[in-house]
Amino acid sequence: MHELSLLENVREILEQHAVSQQFSNVCQVTLAVGQLSCVEPDALRFGFDVVMQGSLAEGAELIITELPGVGHCNQCQQQTDLPTLYAPCQHCASPLVTVLSGTEMKIKDLIVN
Amino acid sequence: MCGICGCSQTGHSGKLTPLQGKLQPVLTIGHAPDNARLVQVEQDLLSKNNAYAAQNRHFFQAEGIFAINLVSSPGAGKTTLLVETIKRLQGRFPMAVIEGDQQTQHDADRIRATGTPALQINTGRTCHLDAQGIGLAVMQLAVQPDSLLVIENVGNLVCPASFDLGEAHKVVVLSVTEGDDKPLKYPDMFHAADVMVLNKTDLLPYVDFDVAQCLAYARQVNPNLQVIQLSATTGENVTQWLDWLVGQVAQASQVTPTRGIASL
Ligand SMILES: Nc1nc2c(ncn2[C@@H]2O[C@H](COP(=O)(O)OP(=O)(O)OP(=O)(O)O)[C@@H](O)[C@H]2O)c(=O)[nH]1
Ligand SMILES: [Mg+2]
Ligand SMILES: [Zn+2]
Ligand SMILES: [Zn+2]
Ligand SMILES: [Zn+2]
Ligand SMILES: [Zn+2]
């Protein structure tokens, strides 16, 4: 359900850009999805064709770039890889890590004509 | 000519196609038709919801409304806590409730029985409330200035985490019958919340639930999470929750520099 409503947002954003940037057909959509975001890339791929049916992106190619999770350790003050929201600091194993990036989910770019 | 790389092919594709006679796929580099071009978008998938949420938040701040988004798995005790809260705070300041459930008016009826205005949103097949729906509900309810607005979200520990409604805080309710590892199993919600209410503490003698372990897990996901342990049905420690709410409502009603200017 969640992924479907996100894909409906994708379609709406495409339709808005079609007006402002003057295109009528989208042949490729690139999404950037953070490792710590609440969406599952496979679920997006699964729903993409269905949601784009009848839109200007019908039959378009979907590319998903996954962005890594990165955090800041409150203990040792270093930057650390964050594969999950609860992963400890890779340097000092402290569980107190603040998320810096990796929660984003956005449309990066399109190939249109 | 391809509009992307200038080669002589047309017809864009980036599909994985099986290599002739072999099983492993190869990536064929896509080529686009003549007039194709790249459009940079860089727009959040939730940008529409976030824009409505910003509008709601602006309205709440301008009107001195303290709004919370109450989230939990189904049955953790959100409505029970809310009814008890309203009974104890009635008369102190105006209150209003927006109830989100997939079906039925049950929860809004429970709130209205206390005399507090409540509006039920039935989300149907959707598993979360969104900011646009909240904006409409706030107008319909005519939420008063300097009031407490509680939005009880659909019972779901997953996707309400991603949908900002314009609230000041997400408050996650976890009950002790759900298991102490919930913060790790559903980290998005515990990360998005600022306050966790650990409810049904009256049942602790009967269930295998390690409070200290649960709080450690919760802080692992969200080092800044504030925790209040209580029982909505016995009233144990409910005053700590009420004190927090009263303090927040007072603070919100003081910070109203643009009152009257904002409108939805
Ligand atoms: N023992 C005990 N039971 C509680 C407590 N709080 C709520 N309950 C019970 O838990 C059940 C569910 O409570 P609700 O308040 O309807 O839960 P909810 O989170 O609003 O549920 P949904 O809106 O359906 O997601 C009811 O039977 C309540 O009486 C508590 O502190 N202790
Ligand atoms: Mg309820
Ligand atoms: Zn969902
Ligand atoms: Zn560290
Ligand atoms: Zn080409
Ligand atoms: Zn949902």
Side-chain angles (χ1 to χ4, degrees):
Chain A
M1 203 55 232
H2 192 179
E3 273 76 8
L4 282 186
S5 48
L6 289 176
L7 286 166
E8 277 157 15
N9 294 348
V10 170
R11 200 174 72 183
E12 268 182 48
I13 293 170
L14 298 188
E15 281 159 2
Q16 285 160 10
H17 280 262
V19 177
S20 63
Q21 311 255 1
Q22 302 185 349
F23 57 82
S24 54
N25 185 37
V26 178
C27 42
Q28 181 179 302
V29 177
T30 305
L31 304 182
V33 173
Q35 206 173 15
L36 304 175
S37 74
C38 315
V39 292
E40 189 46 53
D42 281 343
L44 287 176
R45 284 189 196 99
F46 183 78
F48 185 79
D49 290 344
V50 178
V51 175
M52 296 307 147
Q53 240 165 50
S55 80
L56 73 174
E58 178 162 342
E61 212 64 59
L62 174 67
I63 312 271
I64 300 181
T65 318
E66 292 188 57
L67 306 172
V70 179
H72 172 86
C73 175
N74 300 2
Q75 197 72 45
C76 73
Q77 309 296 331
Q78 293 186 75
Q79 192 162 310
T80 176
D81 294 344
L82 208 57
T84 63
L85 283 171
Y86 50 85
C89 172
Q90 69 185 118
H91 312 292
C92 73
S94 164
L96 304 181
V97 177
T98 304
V99 177
L100 291 179
S101 62
T103 57
E104 51 277 86
M105 38 182 174
K106 60 183 181 181
I107 304 185
K108 258 179 75 74
D109 54 47
L110 314 170
I111 294 178
V112 305
N113 58 59
Chain B
M1 192 180 77
C2 165
I4 297 297
C5 65
C7 74
S8 58
Q9 295 182 41
T10 56
H12 179 262
S13 108
K15 279 205 171 72
L16 288 167
T17 44
L19 198 61
Q20 280 174 331
K22 293 193 184 151
L23 282 174
Q24 80 266 40
V26 293
L27 183 65
T28 58
I29 307 289
H31 299 286
D34 277 13
N35 51 347
R37 62 195 158 97
L38 189 75
V39 173
Q40 297 286 348
V41 179
E42 297 289 340
Q43 193 169 337
D44 196 288
L45 295 197
L46 290 169
S47 51
K48 182 179 161 198
N49 183 75
N50 292 343
Y52 280 107
Q55 203 175 30
N56 294 348
R57 184 166 286 116
H58 182 82
F59 175 78
F60 296 149
Q61 282 173 359
E63 296 289 308
I65 297 166
F66 178 62
I68 58 170
N69 180 357
L70 207 53
V71 292
S72 80
S73 54
K78 298 181 296 300
T79 312
T80 307
L81 177 62
L82 204 41
V83 167
E84 291 309 310
T85 301
I86 289 167
K87 282 186 188 161
R88 288 168 164 85
L89 294 180
Q90 233 153 15
R92 306 262 309 246
F93 37 73
M95 292 182 273
V97 175
I98 298 169
E99 283 290 344
D101 286 292
Q102 290 196 318
Q103 302 292 342
T104 82
Q105 291 277 332
H106 290 179
D107 282 1
D109 289 342
R110 285 164 71 188
I111 302 298
R112 286 189 206 107
T114 67
T116 292
L119 191 115
Q120 182 79 49
I121 298 178
N122 283 140
T123 57
R125 283 176 306 146
T126 307
C127 45
H128 57 269
L129 292 170
D130 64 47
Q132 188 175 12
I134 294 303
L136 293 171
V138 165
M139 282 196 286
Q140 248 180 291
L141 263 178
V143 177
Q144 295 182 50
D146 302 332
S147 63
L148 169 65
L149 172 66
V150 181
I151 303 161
E152 182 184 329
N153 219 313
V154 179
N156 173 359
L157 269 183
V158 187
C159 64
S162 334
F163 290 82
D164 183 8
L165 304 179
E167 72 276 352
H169 299 289
K170 279 194 181 72
V171 174
V172 60
V173 180
L174 176 66
S175 59
V176 304
T177 52
E178 295 172 64
D180 47 28
D181 57 354
K182 278 293 171 298
L184 290 193
K185 286 182 174 169
Y186 299 93
D188 295 324
M189 190 59 90
F190 292 85
H191 187 255
D194 300 311
V195 177
M196 169 174 130
V197 170
L198 184 60
N199 188 31
K200 308 194 188 180
T201 53
D202 58 297
L203 299 180
L204 277 173
Y206 314 104
V207 291
D208 188 12
F209 186 98
D210 185 337
V211 174
Q213 180 64 263
C214 176
L215 301 194
Y217 286 148
R219 296 219 160 93
Q220 206 173 324
V221 174
N222 183 351
N224 303 315
L225 193 68
Q226 197 180 329
V227 179
I228 301 174
Q229 303 179 40
L230 56 79
S231 165
T233 49
T234 68
E236 182 195 6
N237 210 27
V238 165
T239 47
Q240 198 189 337
W241 162 248
L242 299 179
D243 288 347
W244 179 76
L245 276 180
V246 169
Q248 295 291 321
V249 170
Q251 221 175 309
S253 62
Q254 275 161 19
V255 193
T256 54
T258 55
R259 165 124 0 126
I261 293 171
S263 63
L264 271 174

